[in-house]
């Protein structure tokens, strides 16, 4: 992948006075205290005996044309956050406002419109592509269902256009999913999302399953499409270098909560939460100028159970900060603005951990 600046607006000027680090511009998505608790069933009767707090009070705003990267270890709640926002999963609590309107109050027509406006691209599109349908028929069907192309001729033209938009060819319309490579299948997954002319797309690890050389192509395609179509992305990923390249801002999740959020360059240059420092120290450096030579921080201990999260800081048991104390163990740190546009949930943020 080539280096470059985030596309829509420069990450470094993405600071506003309102304190959530969002870029200036119209708020497209406003997520407020979102919660998703999954029941855990047990016993012979299979009753709900506990709850997994997969998403536990997540709040952020996304402006039109912006990309928010969402990172964190496996199981911290990234996919559940994305799917709950899209209402593929019902939330346990909180509010989601899309274009200023609360999803909760949507009537059927508004909800159908939201379903069109907000799409998802999965890590492995193969699982969700019908193996017995050609790519052209699959896309044409979507257009038909949503009333987006009146006649068969219109649909064929739009299918061709969609395939070309994602770097495939019109002739690919007659092929079946198994006839494509992994990268091509992901392009089909993107074409499927674009077919309904969305405004917002959750990209859930869209390149994690692809070869590194193919990853760069798909990432660049996603960025080009964002520029051309004014799309807004929630970009979920493991690879911190890819997230930095793609995102205007980045949110770091730990045990169902956002523990740090800032403009991408600011977060990478100046992490304030010890967990972010640890994640960055373990990641390969993309650009030595913006990523200082970090001493590797090895985290010991396990992530606490999302069924019984600790009362105080969820990161306490693994925190390598030399200044951690009883206060950390007692009180849950609030995600608050520590520096302009830079939020962190750590009361020891000002002391560097394993820095340059
Ligand atoms: N349908 C479900 N029922 C019960 N628990 C679930 C369900 N889906 C997710 N979970 C749990 O919720 C937590 C968050 O899962 P999620 O898939 O959102 O994490 P993630 O950050 O996307 O992980 P990964 O990086 O592995 O994709 C995990 O503890 C997971 O086991
Ligand atoms: Mg996931």
């Amino acid at each position: 992948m080539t280096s470059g600046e985030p596309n829509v607006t420069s990450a470094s000027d993405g600071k506003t006075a309102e304190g959530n680090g969002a870029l200036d511009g119209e708020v497209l998505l406003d997520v407020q205290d979102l919660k998703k608790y999954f029941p855990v069933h047990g016993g012979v009767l299979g009753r709900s005996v506990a709850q997994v707090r997969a998403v536990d009070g997540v709040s952020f705003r996304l402006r039109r044309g912006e990309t928010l990267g969402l990172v964190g270890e496996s199981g911290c709640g990234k996919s559940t956050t994305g799917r709950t926002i899209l209402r593929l999963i019902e939330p346990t609590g909180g509010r989601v406002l899309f274009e200023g309107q609360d999803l909760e109050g949507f009537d059927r027509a508004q909800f159908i419109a939201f379903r069109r406006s907000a799409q998802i691209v999965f890590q492995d599109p193969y699982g969700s592509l019908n193996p017995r349908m050609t790519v052209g028929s699959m896309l044409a069907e979507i257009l038909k269902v949503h009333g987006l192309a009146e006649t068969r001729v219109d649909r064929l033209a739009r299918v061709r256009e969609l395939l070309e938009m994602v770097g495939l060819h019109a002739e690919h319309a007659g092929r079946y999913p198994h006839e494509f490579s992994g990268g091509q299948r992901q392009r089909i997954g993107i074409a499927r999302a674009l077919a309904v002319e969305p405004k917002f797309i959750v990209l859930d690890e869209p390149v994690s399953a692809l070869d590194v050389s193919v990853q760069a192509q798909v990432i660049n395609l996603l960025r080009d499409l964002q520029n051309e179509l004014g799309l807004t992305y929630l970009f979920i990923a493991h690879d911190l270098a890819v997230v930095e390249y793609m995102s205007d801002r980045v949110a770091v999740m730990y045990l169902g909560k956002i523990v740090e959020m800032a403009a991408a360059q600011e977060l990478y240059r100046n992490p304030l939460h010890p967990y972010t420092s640890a994640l960055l120290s373990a990641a390969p450096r993309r650009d030595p100028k913006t990523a200082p030579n970090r001493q590797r921080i090895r985290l010991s201990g396990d992530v606490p159970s999302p069924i019984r999260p600790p009362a105080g800081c969820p990161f306490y048991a693994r925190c390598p900060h030399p200044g951690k104390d009883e206060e950390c163990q007692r009180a849950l740190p609030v995600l608050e603005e520590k520096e302009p546009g830079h939020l962190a949930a750590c009361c020891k943020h000002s002391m560097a951990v394993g820095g340059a």
Side-chain angles (χ1 to χ4, degrees):
M1 188 184 306
T2 54
S3 68
E5 298 300 318
N7 50 352
V8 179
T9 340
S10 117
S12 54
D13 66 8
K15 293 170 185 170
T16 64
E18 69 183 274
N20 74 348
L23 298 168
D24 292 325
E26 184 202 344
V27 174
L28 181 75
L29 181 77
D30 188 355
V31 178
Q32 300 176 2
D33 200 25
L34 190 69
K35 292 185 175 127
K36 179 61 197 180
Y37 297 171
F38 290 108
V40 177
H41 300 281
V44 278
L45 298 175
R47 271 201 284 247
S48 172
V49 291
Q51 288 178 317
V52 175
R53 299 184 179 200
V55 178
D56 201 9
V58 162
S59 302
F60 61 83
R61 284 178 179 171
L62 262 175
R63 306 218 170 237
R64 209 178 279 280
E66 190 186 13
T67 298
L68 178 70
L70 193 57
V71 298
E73 285 162 295
S74 184
C76 70
K78 304 181 295 294
S79 296
T80 308
T81 299
R83 287 166 202 218
T84 310
I85 290 168
L86 298 182
R87 284 293 198 279
L88 300 173
I89 304 176
E90 275 303 304
T92 307
R95 299 209 305 165
V96 174
L97 278 67
F98 191 74
E99 296 182 314
Q101 289 189 294
D102 192 336
L103 264 59
E104 207 55 55
F106 277 6
D107 60 25
R108 198 176 139 72
Q110 286 173 309
F111 192 71
I112 290 170
F114 171 72
R115 268 281 146 82
R116 260 188 62 186
S117 298
Q119 289 288 306
I120 186 163
V121 171
F122 298 104
Q123 177 175 349
D124 171 23
Y126 198 50
S128 52
L129 295 174
N130 184 341
R132 281 181 293 277
M133 230 177 178
T134 64
V135 164
S137 321
M138 184 261 302
L139 292 172
E141 175 100 355
I142 295 172
L143 297 172
K144 199 171 167 183
V145 166
H146 288 274
L148 291 169
E150 289 277 305
T151 65
R152 198 168 161 271
V153 174
D154 290 346
R155 284 196 287 276
L156 282 176
R158 177 71 176 144
V159 165
R160 193 176 309 130
E161 188 184 37
L162 282 165
L163 290 173
E164 283 166 2
M165 270 167 84
V166 298
L168 295 170
H169 303 291
E171 307 86 76
H172 286 130
R175 296 199 196 158
Y176 291 88
H178 73 265
E179 297 179 76
F180 292 92
S181 68
Q184 287 175 322
R185 277 204 287 268
Q186 193 52 291
R187 287 174 192 269
I188 296 164
I190 295 166
R192 181 175 53 183
L194 294 179
V196 290
E197 298 163 23
K199 297 169 182 166
F200 167 61
I201 306 183
V202 173
L203 302 164
D204 193 352
E205 310 251 9
V207 298
S208 304
L210 305 176
D211 290 347
V212 173
S213 59
V214 182
Q215 282 189 1
Q217 294 167 13
V218 174
I219 286 294
N220 285 327
L221 170 68
L222 288 167
R223 278 182 52 157
D224 291 347
L225 289 168
Q226 180 175 45
N227 277 336
E228 281 164 36
L229 305 171
L231 296 166
T232 305
Y233 289 153
L234 179 64
F235 181 73
I236 299 171
H238 271 103
D239 185 331
L240 288 160
V242 172
V243 171
E244 183 184 11
Y245 180 74
M246 271 297 279
S247 310
D248 298 296
R249 284 183 303 143
V250 176
V252 180
M253 268 188 97
Y254 188 78
L255 212 67
K257 296 180 194 301
I258 292 179
V259 296
E260 183 156 9
M261 180 158 55
Q265 290 176 358
E266 162 69 10
L267 187 112
Y268 282 72
R269 211 171 18 217
N270 178 32
L272 298 181
H273 196 287
Y275 179 60
T276 311
S277 300
L279 277 185
L280 291 175
S281 80
R285 289 152 61 210
R286 181 174 68 83
D287 179 354
K289 286 200 292 294
T290 57
N293 196 1
R294 294 189 172 88
Q295 187 187 324
R296 177 84 191 247
I297 304 167
R298 287 189 194 285
L299 294 178
S300 55
D302 295 327
V303 181
S305 162
I307 296 175
R308 271 174 296 280
C313 176
F315 190 56
Y316 179 82
R318 301 170 78 199
C319 182
H321 199 293
K324 70 174 182 178
D325 56 23
E326 280 172 18
E327 178 62 16
C328 307
Q329 219 173 349
R330 203 169 37 234
L332 181 68
V334 182
L335 182 68
E336 57 189 12
E337 192 166 30
K338 305 287 188 185
E339 291 173 18
H342 192 152
L343 286 73
C346 173
C347 49
K348 308 293 176 202
H349 78 279
S350 53
M351 293 169 66
V353 183

